[in-house]
Amino acid sequence: MASKTATKVTIGGRTYTLSGNESETYLQEVASYLNGKIAQLRSDEEYRNVPLDMRNVLLQLNLADDYFKARSEIRQLQKNLEEREQALSDLKHELVATQMKLETALHRNGDKKKS
């Protein structure tokens, strides 16, 4: 089991100590992602006029939106992969069948030449 990592990160201008089984680099990357989302929202004039509790809800909604879009994309990619694997399997079966037909034809042709 991996040892716990603790690292200081800055999120929204405040410093936090995060700990977990992930690497320090990963924890910094997560903090950076959150800072990017916060900056994106802060750049919106209307967002700055919203009460703090509503800002937090908007941030959470944006994060949830990213999560659901990523999950949907993963499902679509998995579906595409399954379809391609099935197509590949079908092609392999077709190739084997064609090879068997060729071998049979060559074998018959060889028997005809011997006669």
Side-chain angles (χ1 to χ4, degrees):
M1 175 175 239
S3 62
K4 284 207 173 213
T5 302
T7 187
K8 290 188 185 291
V9 298
T10 302
I11 300 171
R14 295 182 66 187
T15 301
Y16 300 92
T17 300
L18 299 181
S19 65
N21 294 328
E22 295 80 7
S23 68
E24 181 177 341
T25 302
Y26 176 79
L27 295 174
Q28 291 291 344
E29 188 177 338
V30 169
S32 177
Y33 175 77
L34 283 173
N35 282 321
K37 284 309 227 182
I38 292 167
Q40 181 183 24
L41 288 171
R42 285 182 178 164
S43 70
D44 184 338
E45 185 69 36
E46 291 178 26
Y47 176 81
R48 288 182 278 195
N49 297 325
V50 173
L52 182 59
D53 60 335
M54 186 60 167
R55 288 184 203 173
N56 289 330
V57 170
L58 290 173
L59 175 61
Q60 293 166 4
L61 286 170
N62 273 269
L63 295 172
D65 179 55
D66 287 352
Y67 168 77
F68 280 98
K69 285 178 180 173
R71 188 172 72 171
S72 177
E73 184 177 348
I74 288 168
R75 286 182 179 153
Q76 186 59 49
L77 290 170
Q78 287 172 330
K79 181 180 175 189
N80 291 347
L81 179 61
E82 288 169 6
E83 289 170 356
R84 289 178 183 198
E85 286 175 342
Q86 182 61 50
L88 180 60
S89 176
D90 293 346
L91 286 172
K92 285 179 179 179
H93 288 308
E94 187 178 328
L95 176 62
V96 168
T98 302
Q99 285 175 330
M100 289 173 61
K101 286 179 186 177
L102 177 61
E103 288 173 9
T104 301
L106 290 173
H107 182 70
R108 284 184 186 159
N109 207 12
D111 287 346
K112 287 181 182 177
K113 287 183 181 179
K114 289 180 184 177
S115 331

